[in-house]
Amino acid sequence: MKIGVLALQGAVAEHIRSITRAGAEGVPIKKVEELATIDGLIIPGGESTTIGKLMRKYDFMEAIRDFSAQSKPIFGTCAGLIVLAERIQGDEEAHLKLMDITVARNAFGRQRESFETDLSVVGIEETIRAVFIRAPLILSVGAGVEILSTYKDEIVTARQGHLLVASYHPELTDDYRLHAYFVDMVREQASSLQE
């Protein structure tokens, strides 16, 4: 089980640590060719506009769409959620347009309004610790999207088949259970592709 973390920006080492603790091998992905060597991909937080520009510059847009078309799981956290979204509120053009969700950038305010909380997530026993830093928000979801958690009635974790997104930074805590949930998604998908 090899899971890549898109290493253009964001907390790459922290995601790799969480993947390792969840029982899989985590590797940084810096070149398009490396996508062929992994079973799942994490698009970390950072600044969504910058990540989008870097993905275009290094030809990751079509490569990640192809990766997704093979039903290989992708997990987007914070800015990674925005990058996966089909629609971004306002006039900013969406990036990968893979997940049937509409998102709002910086919905929880600026850096100084960052906070931590405990969240109940469908499929995970007991609450997980979530760190919100200039976090986006999922405003609406399409029919094929499952809402996994909400905070103050706002959607912050969702899944659509092989795609998983979180508004927050699960990699910035010692709680790796959301990464374990993703590792299970990757494992299930890998075994179904082998059948």
Side-chain angles (χ1 to χ4, degrees):
M1 290 294 306
K2 194 183 276 193
I3 295 175
V5 180
L6 190 64
L8 300 178
Q9 195 192 41
V12 177
E14 290 84 349
H15 273 294
I16 288 173
R17 183 197 65 184
S18 295
I19 292 164
T20 304
R21 293 182 69 195
E25 182 187 353
V27 294
I29 299 297
K30 294 179 180 173
K31 298 182 187 145
V32 166
E33 311 83 75
E34 294 168 334
L35 290 171
T37 68
I38 57 173
D39 305 295
L41 177 69
I42 293 176
I43 303 176
E47 212 289 308
S48 60
T49 308
T50 303
I51 293 170
K53 282 178 183 165
L54 291 169
M55 285 170 62
R56 287 174 177 90
K57 181 178 177 181
Y58 296 110
D59 298 324
F60 272 106
M61 299 298 283
E62 282 311 310
I64 292 175
R65 287 191 188 112
D66 291 344
F67 187 88
S68 177
Q70 299 168 55
S71 296
K72 289 188 174 183
I74 303 174
F75 179 16
T77 62
C78 197
L81 172 155
I82 299 169
V83 169
L84 283 170
E86 216 169 274
R87 296 166 300 279
I88 300 171
Q89 185 185 48
D91 51 13
E92 184 185 340
E93 189 184 344
H95 304 284
L96 289 168
K97 302 181 184 176
L98 290 174
M99 193 163 177
D100 190 5
I101 56 175
T102 302
V103 300
R105 298 174 73 230
N106 298 333
F108 288 104
R110 295 284 167 196
Q111 200 89 16
R112 61 190 171 76
E113 278 127 11
S114 302
F115 63 95
E116 287 187 36
T117 189
D118 291 319
L119 281 182
S120 295
V121 180
V122 174
I124 298 176
E125 285 183 25
E126 298 178 12
T127 59
I128 65 163
R129 195 73 183 154
V131 179
F132 288 81
I133 303 170
R134 292 178 61 204
L137 192 60
I138 302 169
L139 299 174
S140 63
V141 301
V145 179
E146 180 187 5
I147 296 167
L148 299 182
S149 74
T150 57
Y151 172 75
K152 294 187 175 176
D153 297 324
E154 307 278 17
I155 306 164
V156 293
T157 320
R159 178 177 177 178
Q160 180 182 329
H162 64 286
L163 304 173
L164 177 68
V165 290
S167 295
Y168 44 91
H169 291 269
E171 78 284 3
L172 297 183
T173 73
D174 290 330
D175 188 341
Y176 60 88
R177 286 175 298 153
L178 195 60
H179 286 82
Y181 179 98
F182 182 64
V183 168
D184 285 342
M185 281 174 60
V186 176
R187 191 173 285 124
E188 284 164 22
Q189 191 56 35
S191 63
S192 73
L193 290 172
Q194 286 167 2
E195 285 171 8

